[in-house]
Amino acid sequence: AGIFVFMLGLSFAAVPLYDLFCRVTGFGGTTQISKEAPKIVLDKIVNVRLDTNVNSQLDWDFAVNEKTLDVKPGKVYKVEFEVENFGKEQSSGVASYNVSPSTFGQYFNKLGCFCFEKQTLKSGEKMSYILTFYLDPEMVNDPKTKNIDDITMSYTFFSSDYYKQSKVN
């Protein structure tokens, strides 16, 4: 009975533990959330490509003002994204992201982001969202990332209107 209770508890803890593991290690391209920028800026240049996508369930346009940035590790950057609802009705979406190569995720630090927050746009409405980030200078001390000069940060907006109620006549 004790083993059953332990296994049941472990199954409920699996998702939060996996999330914690990904955030700590950067596993699977999981980026980090930071409260303050580092005190050092390196001369190394890393090309950051920003990719935007919209799931087919949303009639939105999603674009970034600068598709590529030459980034110095330790320096803070702000990037503006624009989203417009071309649909005939109000709709909501949530942006998720990933970093490639995935080994670089632990060194991509966000100070501010619109990701994983529900965004609602009226028909024809256009909004701007800001991503504030820096690359951790520690990347040059990691054998897996010290020679990486090119990374991609890819954002995708997915519909958050999963449970639309149908009208009953």
Side-chain angles (χ1 to χ4, degrees):
I3 292 173
F4 173 76
V5 171
F6 175 73
M7 295 302 285
L8 183 64
L10 193 59
S11 69
F12 281 105
V15 172
L17 288 174
Y18 181 73
D19 181 55
L20 177 64
F21 171 77
C22 290
R23 294 200 183 281
V24 169
T25 64
F27 181 75
T30 302
T31 63
Q32 305 301 302
I33 298 171
S34 183
K35 300 228 186 275
E36 60 184 51
K39 307 281 188 254
I40 185 171
V41 176
L42 303 180
D43 283 333
K44 177 181 174 70
I45 298 292
V46 177
N47 181 273
V48 176
R49 280 184 267 148
L50 297 161
D51 177 46
T52 57
N53 304 285
V54 178
N55 182 274
S56 62
Q57 295 174 346
L58 285 174
D59 194 11
W60 288 13
D61 181 51
F62 179 37
V64 62
N65 290 349
E66 296 179 69
K67 292 188 183 273
T68 61
L69 298 166
D70 287 334
V71 173
K72 290 184 176 185
K75 184 175 178 184
V76 175
Y77 294 85
K78 288 186 178 188
V79 181
E80 185 176 3
F81 292 82
E82 292 185 359
V83 183
E84 186 171 2
N85 180 0
F86 289 123
K88 294 180 181 178
E89 297 178 357
Q90 174 175 299
S91 56
S92 299
V94 175
S96 68
Y97 59 84
N98 68 354
V99 174
S100 181
S102 61
T103 55
F104 203 85
Q106 67 185 22
Y107 299 107
F108 197 103
N109 288 265
K110 296 177 298 183
L111 292 165
C113 185
F114 56 93
C115 41
F116 299 114
E117 296 175 2
K118 183 178 176 181
Q119 310 296 337
T120 301
L121 298 175
K122 297 174 186 167
S123 175
E125 186 176 16
K126 190 176 194 177
M127 293 292 292
S128 294
Y129 300 109
I130 303 292
L131 165 67
T132 306
F133 74 96
Y134 68 89
L135 303 181
D136 190 337
E138 283 297 314
M139 65 173 270
V140 299
N141 297 325
D142 186 338
K144 293 179 285 187
T145 58
K146 70 179 181 181
N147 294 320
I148 293 177
D149 296 326
D150 201 23
I151 66 169
T152 301
M153 180 73 164
S154 182
Y155 277 91
T156 302
F157 257 106
F158 292 94
S159 173
S160 66
D161 297 330
Y162 296 119
Y163 304 104
K164 291 185 179 177
Q165 294 181 351
S166 59
K167 295 181 181 177
V168 179
N169 292 328

